[in-house]
Amino acid sequence: MKAKQPFHVMTKPAGPLCNLDCTYCFYLEKVKLFPKNHPFKMSDDLLEAYIKGYIEAQPGPEVSFAWQGGEPTLAGLAFFEKVVALQARYGLGKKIENAFQTNGTRLTDAWCAFLKAHNFLVGISIDGPEHLHDAYRVDRKGRGTYREVVRGIELCKKHGVEFNTLTVVNAKNVQYPLEVYRFLREIGSQFIQFIPLVERRADSDSSQLGLGLSHPPDLSAASALQFEPQVTEWSVPSRALGDFYNKIFDRWVRRDVGRVYVQLFDVTLGKWVGAPGGVCMYAETCGRALAMEHNGDLYACDHYVYPRYRLGNVMNQSIASMVDSDQMREFGEAKRSRLPKQCRECEVRFCCNGDCPKHRFARTKDGEYGISYLCAGLKQFFKHSGPAMKQMAELYRQQRSPMEIMKK
């Protein structure tokens, strides 16, 4: 059974387990959602059923697998050797791709040789130079992890593994935009993803589950806030995020267009030229980017791995039926249908479409619930980058390279 449209699943073979203890990680505490002494590893039977079902459910000729965590290397190299063998067995002639997101600290020559041999795209989390990275990204003994991550990056380079970097923009590194950007370029990252950090202290629903961080907000019409959200001290301030993006954009648009790929900038240019796709957080609707836990439970989104958002289990339901279910459709449509008036009337709505629903727990200037906590900063960036984006979009329409903007 095939899904009606392409979709993506972030797969967690070792669940929320991780060898690090990053201060800001929202996923580590998900171990509390499972029984004590629970084995956090995907079984062989489940892995085979998932790979077979996921390939069958994709309607197009390409199938992209994404492996994350926690820390996916904890599943073991032998596990991923089974992955590629099963993909070959059930590939149905389709093009199979694998993406692998890691903290980089457990990479070895053997790991990198495997990743290269099977063309895995590796995403490595690094938050900037040592004094910024180690502010929050620490191991189980509270020690900084910068040097181990850089060692992992050097191993990727040694083996020719294609990698990109994922940088969590937080309360510390947001103060050093150009230092962060310069550092990422210096370590050889040509594909840069910035992830704004926004987490809240637990509400009553989350507390009942034993969690310290809050559920994502409920965007339903009846969802008046029951408490004033308390944002964690490591979350990025909205306007500071806008300044961070603007300063990096100004450097990028003068020197690095077509040479360094910053996901946010590429996605924004895509909005200006009317290109389809992009990233889910800035799409009109949600619903095609899911998450699967190590036990086969499928959830509406990586940020919504909570009991109320569970769609079912791949061992007893087809993946396509869950992806195309009414529950999933309503979840995805809520992003568009429940935009506050301030968003609906915003001049840069086409760029962000209200942002990720996870961030939409603030109130508008008129007191309406459901605007993004990051609204001010995002609007600041989209307006600031607008003139240059418009020029690059015009170059694109003329079948000329957007890189020409650097000559002006």
Side-chain angles (χ1 to χ4, degrees):
M1 179 178 180
K2 295 187 185 302
K4 295 176 181 177
Q5 297 176 3
F7 65 97
H8 182 264
V9 174
M10 189 174 289
T11 315
K12 300 175 181 290
L17 292 190
C18 188
N19 59 310
L20 303 189
D21 192 17
C22 299
T23 306
Y24 57 56
C25 184
F26 73 96
Y27 216 84
L28 283 176
E29 66 175 9
K30 296 293 176 69
V31 296
K32 298 177 182 177
L33 300 179
F34 297 92
K36 191 175 181 179
N37 299 321
H38 178 78
F40 287 97
K41 186 175 180 180
M42 189 178 294
S43 70
D44 289 347
D45 288 346
L46 172 56
L47 177 64
E48 183 169 2
Y50 169 59
I51 288 178
K52 182 176 183 292
Y54 186 64
I55 292 172
E56 290 176 347
Q58 291 291 350
E62 298 182 0
V63 182
S64 296
F65 286 84
W67 307 94
Q68 200 197 40
E71 173 52 41
T73 59
L74 292 174
L77 185 53
F79 175 88
F80 284 95
E81 290 171 341
K82 294 174 188 174
V83 165
V84 295
L86 290 167
Q87 289 172 342
R89 182 188 305 174
Y90 295 110
L92 302 175
K94 296 187 176 186
K95 181 181 178 182
I96 307 293
E97 297 177 339
N98 286 283
F100 187 87
Q101 186 174 332
T102 175
N103 59 45
T105 63
R106 289 172 47 85
L107 292 179
T108 62
D109 283 308
W111 266 109
C112 289
F114 168 84
L115 295 168
K116 173 62 176 177
H118 298 284
N119 299 312
F120 276 58
L121 171 62
V122 177
I124 298 184
S125 298
I126 188 163
D127 287 353
E130 189 167 6
H131 73 105
L132 297 175
H133 178 90
D134 285 350
Y136 298 120
R137 296 193 68 84
V138 297
D139 65 15
R140 293 286 174 173
K141 295 182 178 180
R143 300 172 299 192
T145 61
Y146 170 83
R147 296 185 183 183
E148 289 300 299
V149 178
V150 170
R151 183 192 58 79
I153 290 173
E154 291 303 316
L155 281 172
C156 286
K157 293 179 186 177
K158 172 184 172 183
H159 289 271
V161 175
E162 185 179 356
F163 75 94
N164 56 32
T165 54
L166 298 91
T167 298
V168 175
V169 187
N170 54 62
K172 297 283 188 182
N173 62 6
V174 75
Q175 303 170 55
Y176 302 91
L178 295 182
E179 183 177 353
V180 170
Y181 182 61
R182 188 181 310 114
F183 167 80
L184 294 173
R185 290 194 59 199
E186 287 173 352
I187 62 172
S189 179
Q190 292 183 301
F191 298 87
I192 297 170
Q193 181 178 348
F194 293 120
I195 305 169
L197 175 62
V198 180
E199 294 295 343
R200 299 171 296 144
R201 298 295 182 187
D203 58 11
S204 57
D205 286 348
S206 299
S207 295
Q208 289 174 9
L209 294 171
L211 303 178
L213 298 175
S214 186
H215 275 77
D218 182 357
L219 296 181
S220 66
S223 62
L225 281 175
Q226 300 300 311
F227 74 111
E228 287 300 319
Q230 181 186 359
V231 177
T232 61
E233 60 270 24
W234 51 81
S235 293
V236 62
S238 179
R239 291 192 181 277
L241 179 68
D243 289 339
F244 180 90
Y245 287 156
N246 287 350
K247 288 177 181 176
I248 294 176
F249 178 79
D250 289 346
R251 177 67 59 87
W252 175 83
V253 82
R254 289 196 303 268
R255 302 183 183 183
D256 294 331
V257 179
R259 298 168 184 155
V260 177
Y261 297 90
V262 179
Q263 184 190 61
L264 173 64
F265 304 162
D266 291 346
V267 168
T268 304
L269 180 57
K271 298 288 187 180
W272 277 89
V273 300
V279 296
C280 61
M281 65 192 303
Y282 299 137
E284 273 197 277
T285 61
C286 297
R288 311 308 289 186
L290 301 91
M292 192 187 79
E293 264 292 353
H294 63 291
N295 63 353
D297 285 346
L298 193 65
Y299 293 85
C301 169
D302 182 41
H303 292 288
Y304 287 75
V305 178
Y306 297 92
R308 70 174 77 165
Y309 300 107
R310 180 181 176 274
L311 300 168
N313 190 284
V314 301
M315 291 299 282
N316 48 47
Q317 293 167 266
S318 77
I319 296 175
S321 68
M322 290 185 279
V323 170
D324 290 333
S325 65
D326 289 343
Q327 179 183 352
M328 197 64 188
R329 180 184 54 77
E330 291 168 3
F331 172 83
E333 179 59 31
K335 180 179 182 182
R336 176 171 54 194
S337 65
R338 291 165 186 161
L339 279 175
K341 180 181 178 183
Q342 184 174 321
C343 281
R344 297 195 303 270
E345 297 176 351
C346 179
E347 62 192 292
V348 293
R349 174 189 167 183
F350 75 99
C351 288
C352 78
N353 287 299
D355 191 23
C356 178
K358 171 184 176 288
H359 299 154
R360 286 169 54 181
F361 56 82
R363 293 187 183 275
T364 69
K365 57 188 177 183
D366 298 323
E368 188 178 0
Y369 172 59
I371 198 169
S372 171
Y373 164 83
L374 296 175
C375 176
L378 293 176
K379 188 172 184 179
Q380 187 178 332
F381 165 70
F382 290 128
K383 291 182 70 174
H384 176 82
S385 63
M389 290 291 180
K390 187 175 181 179
Q391 290 180 49
M392 288 189 287
E394 185 57 33
L395 288 168
Y396 176 84
R397 293 188 186 98
Q398 295 173 12
Q399 297 185 326
R400 295 161 61 188
S401 171
M403 291 177 69
E404 291 185 35
I405 195 172
M406 294 187 292
K407 300 176 183 177
K408 297 186 178 182

